[in-house]
Amino acid sequence: MGRLDGKVAIISGGARGQGATEARMLAMEGASVVFGDILDDEGRQVEAQIRELGGEATYVHLDVTSEADWKSAVDTAVSAYGKLNVLVNNAGILIRKTLEETTGEDWDRIMSINAKGVFLGTRVAIPAMREAGGGSIVNISSTAGLVSSPSGSASYTATKGAVRLLTKSTAIQYAREGIRCNSVHPGPIETDMIQDSLSDPAQMELRMQRLPMGRVGKPEEVAYGVIYLASDESSFVTGSELVIDGGTTAQ
Ligand code: NAD
């Protein structure tokens, strides 16, 4: 028995990193998974790997800034698997610049992927979730959506703060319809996104000072939290913040 048996899920940014791990782990818990990205070759490889493991997964091209792409992802979920129960808004980018280094173009780009992308996905998924009698939306924010950091990117922090409160707004507006919405706040997780800083000793030293557990996290450690929020185990949980950060924001 899987914890997500019978559920149909969409995951954005699933070709790499945490999204690819979530696609695989949700499928292994019994969900039928539609996952999208802009990296189509890598996405199709992840699809093949999940199918080899016996999971049910379909890759779609999904640029989260495109409402038309979101519509076709939801259409794929409904036509291939009959409904939509879960949306994981995971896709995101990091622009590592100080406030003064950040250009207006940088700001618009990161806002449009990290914040508007979550809004569009939510807006398009809700009618299908209503049709299914309820659902669960999991928004991947960050510890950067809770607090800033000495080396933190100003624009990234702003997008993740936006995701945190969009989550609460969504939770309140749809609570009576059985559609839950929660945010996840990972600390540093070993993926391509932060590879530059993981291989820089000075940056690593700064990171370790902020990591009581003395290590960065693994994508699986976030995916377990996503599975909990996606499943009926969290049926009374909405508008909440699940912090998975090795103690970073506790100090
Ligand atoms: P990653 O760079 O490995 O993966 C991000 C994925 O998003 C990539 O596959 C990328 O192609 C995709 N993506 C980028 N732009 C897209 C677009 N317009 N449409 C669709 N997909 C797009 O990084 P990750 O660590 O797996 O990041 C996943 C999420 O976790 C992000 O929202 C990120 O901000 C968040 N996060 C990461 C960390 C970390 O330390 N890695 C910490 C906290 C939060």
Side-chain angles (χ1 to χ4, degrees), residues 14-16 19-21 23-24 27-28 33-37 39-61 76 80-81:
R16 277 190 188 170
T21 300
R24 173 174 51 79
M28 291 301 104
V33 176
V34 172
F35 68 104
D37 206 292
L39 302 172
D40 296 334
D41 290 344
E42 288 180 48
R44 283 191 200 100
Q45 280 169 28
V46 173
E47 179 193 80
Q49 285 158 9
I50 296 172
R51 286 179 181 271
E52 263 172 45
L53 292 168
E56 188 54 59
T58 300
Y59 176 77
V60 293
H61 178 83
T76 299
Y81 303 122

Side-chain angles (χ1 to χ4, degrees), residues 16 18 37 39 62-64 90 141 156 160 186-187 189 191:
R16 277 190 188 170
Q18 295 176 62
D37 206 292
L39 302 172
L62 169 63
D63 180 339
V64 293
N90 163 79
S141 176
Y156 182 77
K160 293 301 184 181
I189 306 296
T191 68

Side-chain angles (χ1 to χ4, degrees), residues 108-193:
D108 288 345
R109 177 157 173 265
I110 197 166
M111 274 289 173
S112 101
I113 296 170
N114 291 13
K116 189 180 176 192
V118 175
F119 156 70
L120 288 175
T122 302
R123 184 172 188 277
V124 173
I126 278 175
M129 288 187 174
R130 182 181 289 127
E131 188 74 28
S136 173
I137 301 169
V138 183
N139 292 334
I140 308 300
S141 176
S142 168
T143 50
L146 301 170
V147 293
S148 192
S149 73
S151 58
S153 151
S155 62
Y156 182 77
T157 303
T159 65
K160 293 301 184 181
V163 169
R164 172 175 173 261
L165 281 179
L166 175 61
T167 300
K168 294 190 195 304
S169 214
T170 307
I172 298 301
Q173 286 187 25
Y174 296 97
R176 292 289 171 115
E177 296 195 67
I179 298 172
R180 300 182 294 108
C181 186
N182 295 285
S183 54
V184 176
H185 299 264
I189 306 296
E190 215 175 317
T191 68
D192 289 345
M193 179 172 282

